[in-house]
């Protein structure tokens, strides 16, 4: 048995001074420290560090197998451990094959099982014509599904049309699993016109209207089929009115945004700075503030990284061509301090981080019986976090496969000191990552293999 004692432990009901009792990797008791005997062997004292639940990042592109040179399980899960993320949910595309069949899921699982430093769960993919694979994928452990409404950026993961979704939604409704949707409506996207080194050219080609038009259709689909749709990486807060109104009518629709939309603003992106390229694009400072308002008032459910790196050459750093560059941002390891830096600036407490980045994404992935909370019965996934430490991001010191991120050179507040996975240290700031202890999680109720 181990006791983790903290003065600032973030429980679901708020921050408290407690002792967390850990046996066999699980939290077995949470008791008032004041009533505990002063001397117990096996006590880890977190002192003034904040104790957060291990984060769950529900949107990570690992790309292995097939594009392991973009990002693989070893690098991604090391970065996760160092970033306080104890569970990642892997996206079904950018690996080859894409996770659209059980065979492909098996390949993913074998790749992840070799060496993962945090726990890994998997989304399955919905592409035209694979509706017959969804039930088998769910039975094989996929925690839900992901699709695109516009071209995904890779040929092996084509986007779906409304008639594909009409066939898919009843199946997902029966399974009770969410459909995660890249919500940009293709007819509202435009050919980029203008200087190719200017982020504005990219931004103007992917207007907020594309998000709005996609979300209008998705709300109708979710309502009609009584199925759960989750909007990934919302960049435009304008669509929140539609989403909130639908939820008020009982439509099962949830929504996430990403650290980069909460941190950066299009006006400040320099010409040629293609590390900032993603889709939907980073919008204006006003949009950023709107996303923060949406998070604070509960209209946005969660924050996920959408970690989607590529080899540096594909980011076109040499030409700075925003149209040619791969659209994806590397951020897994810096998500927590990036969001905390913004939250703190807005006077928010660390409790918000636990909800947005641990509890809510665990519910999305159906793993909330064991992940995302410091509670009796949950895995002892814990993060010792210094909320006041300031540090400057040096991409070469990140565990991501490639040292490329728009956070380069930024000073962030908040530093992960120690990460525990099922009660064992998987990262410590003084020594780095340890032995790989990650396991594979099966959906929908998180059975560990
Ligand atoms: Zn993504």
């Amino acid at each position: 048995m181990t006791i983790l004692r903290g003065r600032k432990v973030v429980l679901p009901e708020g921050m408290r001074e407690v002792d967390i009792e850990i046996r066999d990797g699980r939290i077995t008791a949470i008791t008032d420290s004041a009533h505990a005997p002063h001397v117990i062997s096996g006590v880890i004292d977190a002192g003034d560090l904040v104790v957060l639940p291990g984060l769950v990042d529900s949107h990570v592109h690992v790309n292995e197998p097939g594009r392991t040179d973009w990002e693989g399980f070893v690098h991604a899960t090391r970065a996760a451990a160092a970033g306080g993320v104890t569970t990642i949910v892997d996206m079904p595309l950018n690996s080859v094959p894409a996770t659209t069949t059980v065979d492909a899921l098996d390949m993913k699982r074998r790749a992840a099982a070799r060496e993962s430093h945090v726990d890994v769960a998997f989304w399955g993919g919905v592409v035209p014509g694979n509706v017959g694979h969804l039930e088998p994928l769910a039975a094989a452990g996929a925690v839900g599904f992901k699709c695109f409404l516009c071209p995904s950026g890779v040929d092996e993961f084509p986007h779906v049309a409304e008639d594909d979704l009409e066939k898919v939604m009843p199946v997902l409704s029966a399974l009770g699993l969410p459909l995660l949707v890249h919500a940009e409506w293709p007819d509202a996207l435009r050919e980029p016109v203008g200087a190719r080194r200017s982020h504005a050219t990219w931004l103007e080609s992917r207007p907020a209207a594309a998000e709005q038009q996609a979300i209008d259709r998705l709300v109708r689909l979710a309502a009609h089929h009584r199925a759960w749709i989750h909007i990934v990486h919302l960049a435009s807060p304008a669509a929140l009115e539609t989403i909130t109104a639908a939820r008020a009518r009982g439509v099962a629709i949830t929504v996430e945004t990403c650290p980069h939309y909460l941190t950066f603003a299009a006006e400040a992106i320099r010409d040629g700075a293609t590390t900032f390229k993603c889709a939907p694009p980073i919008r204006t400072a006003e949009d950023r503030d709107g996303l923060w308002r949406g998070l604070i008032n509960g209209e946005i459910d969660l924050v996920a990284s959408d970690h989607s790196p590529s080899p540096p050459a594909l980011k076109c750093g040499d030409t700075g061509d925003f149209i040619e560059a791969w659209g994806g941002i590397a951020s897994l390891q810096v998500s927590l301090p990036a969001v905390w830096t913004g939250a703190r600036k807005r006077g928010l407490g660390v409790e918000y981080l636990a909800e947005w980045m641990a509890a809510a994404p665990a519910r999305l992935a159906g793993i909330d019986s064991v992940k995302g909370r410091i509670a009796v019965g949950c895995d002892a996934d814990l993060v010792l976090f210094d909320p006041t430490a300031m540090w400057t991001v040096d991409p070469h010191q990140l565990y991501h496969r490639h040292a490329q991120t728009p956070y380069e050179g930024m000073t962030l507040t908040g530093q992960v000191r120690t990460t525990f996975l099922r009660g064992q240290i998987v990262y410590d700031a003084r020594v780095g990552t340890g032995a790989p202890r990650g396991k594979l999680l099966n959906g929908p109720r998180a059975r560990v293999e």
Side-chain angles (χ1 to χ4, degrees), residues 108-438:
K108 273 274 188 195
R109 300 172 73 86
R110 281 198 296 275
R114 278 196 288 273
E115 183 181 336
S116 284
H117 293 256
V118 300
D119 286 358
V120 184
F122 302 90
W123 300 115
V126 171
V127 293
N130 86 324
V131 63
H133 290 276
L134 306 185
E135 280 182 28
L137 273 165
V143 295
F145 293 89
K146 161 84 178 287
C147 73
F148 275 67
L149 298 184
C150 61
S152 72
V154 291
D155 294 338
E156 68 280 355
F157 200 89
H159 64 286
V160 294
E162 266 178 303
D163 57 335
D164 297 308
L165 290 178
E166 291 290 348
K167 291 175 210 145
V168 161
M169 299 309 290
V171 177
L172 297 187
S173 174
L175 288 169
L177 296 179
L179 178 64
L180 283 64
V181 185
H182 180 118
E184 287 182 291
W185 193 246
D187 295 350
L189 301 176
R190 304 185 201 123
E191 277 303 312
V193 179
R196 297 175 72 94
R197 286 173 49 79
S198 166
H199 180 265
T201 304
W202 174 242
L203 175 61
E204 283 157 18
S205 74
R206 312 205 56 126
E211 292 188 70
Q212 180 70 54
Q213 289 178 29
I215 287 165
D216 288 343
R217 284 167 172 87
L218 292 168
V219 163
R220 282 202 294 274
L221 273 169
H224 179 70
H225 293 282
R226 296 179 178 280
W228 179 5
I229 284 182
H230 175 78
I231 311 293
V232 293
H233 51 50
L234 186 82
S236 166
L240 283 174
E241 210 178 303
T242 307
I243 293 169
T244 304
R247 277 150 78 130
R249 297 196 307 274
V251 179
I253 189 156
T254 51
V255 57
E256 79 192 24
T257 190
C258 307
H260 39 275
Y261 301 123
L262 295 168
T263 304
F264 304 118
E267 300 92 318
I269 298 175
R270 300 180 317 276
D271 283 355
T274 51
T275 53
F276 290 84
K277 181 180 174 181
C278 56
I282 291 164
R283 303 193 186 282
T284 64
E286 197 183 325
D287 290 316
R288 176 183 63 193
D289 293 344
L291 292 173
W292 275 105
R293 277 195 301 279
L295 265 175
I296 294 163
N297 67 24
E299 291 182 303
I300 297 175
D301 297 271
L302 63 97
V303 180
S305 71
D306 194 8
H307 178 69
S308 184
S310 72
L314 292 179
K315 285 301 266 183
C316 301
D318 49 346
T319 60
D321 185 335
F322 269 101
I323 313 310
E324 192 66 30
W326 169 253
I329 283 178
S331 61
L332 181 54
Q333 195 174 332
V334 298
S335 276
L336 171 59
V339 175
W340 173 237
T341 300
R344 191 168 181 261
K345 211 185 291 174
R346 289 166 177 82
L348 306 173
V350 284
E351 298 88 342
Y352 284 92
L353 301 175
E355 171 60 22
W356 298 336
M357 304 182 80
R363 290 195 296 272
L364 177 67
I367 56 176
D368 50 312
S369 61
V370 285
K371 299 293 185 185
R373 291 172 296 143
I374 300 178
V376 173
C378 284
D379 286 352
D381 298 347
L382 303 160
V383 178
L384 307 190
F385 182 65
D386 181 343
T388 56
M390 294 175 74
W391 60 289
T392 300
V393 179
D394 172 358
H396 293 280
Q397 294 188 342
L398 301 176
Y399 287 99
H400 304 161
R401 179 174 279 273
H402 299 292
Q404 218 178 24
T405 173
Y407 294 91
E408 176 171 8
M410 226 183 136
T411 297
L412 298 176
T413 306
Q415 211 165 25
V416 172
R417 288 295 168 82
T418 310
T419 305
F420 297 85
L421 178 67
R422 282 185 296 277
Q424 302 208 276
I425 293 175
V426 291
Y427 171 78
D428 187 277
R430 289 161 298 188
V431 293
T433 56
R437 299 184 187 279

Side-chain angles (χ1 to χ4, degrees), residues 20-57:
I20 303 168
E21 182 190 287
I22 301 165
R23 288 174 200 262
D24 299 327
R26 293 252 164 146
I27 298 172
T28 46
I30 295 172
T31 52
D32 197 330
S33 307
H35 298 150
H38 289 293
V39 184
I40 322 174
S41 59
V43 176
I44 300 164
D45 194 341
D48 274 331
L49 295 174
V50 168
V51 183
L52 285 168
L55 305 189
V56 175
D57 192 335

